[in-house]
Amino acid sequence: MKENIYYVYLHRKASDGEIFYVGKGKGQRAYSKQRRNPFWHNIVDKHGFVVDFLVEEVNEELAFVIETDMILSL
């Protein structure tokens, strides 16, 4: 089993580049519109979104720490 399969990503508004979401995931999660909250959908419906990756190929524990730090720094 490969442990370093996680990443940390940002969603930015396509209209102005403002960060509106920080997440950790694996596979295609960063691009998925499934299992998102109404706030996320409202922003995406109005502005669209762009995905940026902060880190890739890290373990889940490190991804969680980076995700948390990024959220706290916004």
Side-chain angles (χ1 to χ4, degrees):
M1 184 171 108
K2 187 175 179 183
E3 286 188 37
N4 295 330
I5 58 174
Y6 287 85
Y7 52 75
V8 178
Y9 63 97
L10 305 174
H11 283 166
R12 296 179 182 273
K13 294 178 185 176
S15 59
D16 64 9
E18 179 185 353
I19 298 169
F20 70 93
Y21 185 84
V22 178
K24 75 170 179 66
K26 59 184 180 178
Q28 293 297 307
R29 176 62 179 153
Y31 300 100
S32 175
K33 293 183 177 182
Q34 306 265 324
R35 296 182 331 171
R36 304 288 184 181
N37 66 40
F39 171 80
W40 187 94
H41 282 285
N42 287 339
I43 290 175
V44 170
D45 289 347
K46 185 173 182 179
H47 300 278
F49 76 105
V50 175
V51 177
D52 288 330
F53 292 92
L54 292 175
V55 296
E56 297 182 67
E57 296 186 12
V58 296
N59 65 42
E60 185 174 23
E61 182 179 337
L62 180 56
F64 180 74
V65 169
I66 294 168
E67 175 194 34
T68 302
D69 288 348
M70 185 64 191
I71 290 168
L72 293 174
S73 72
L74 292 178

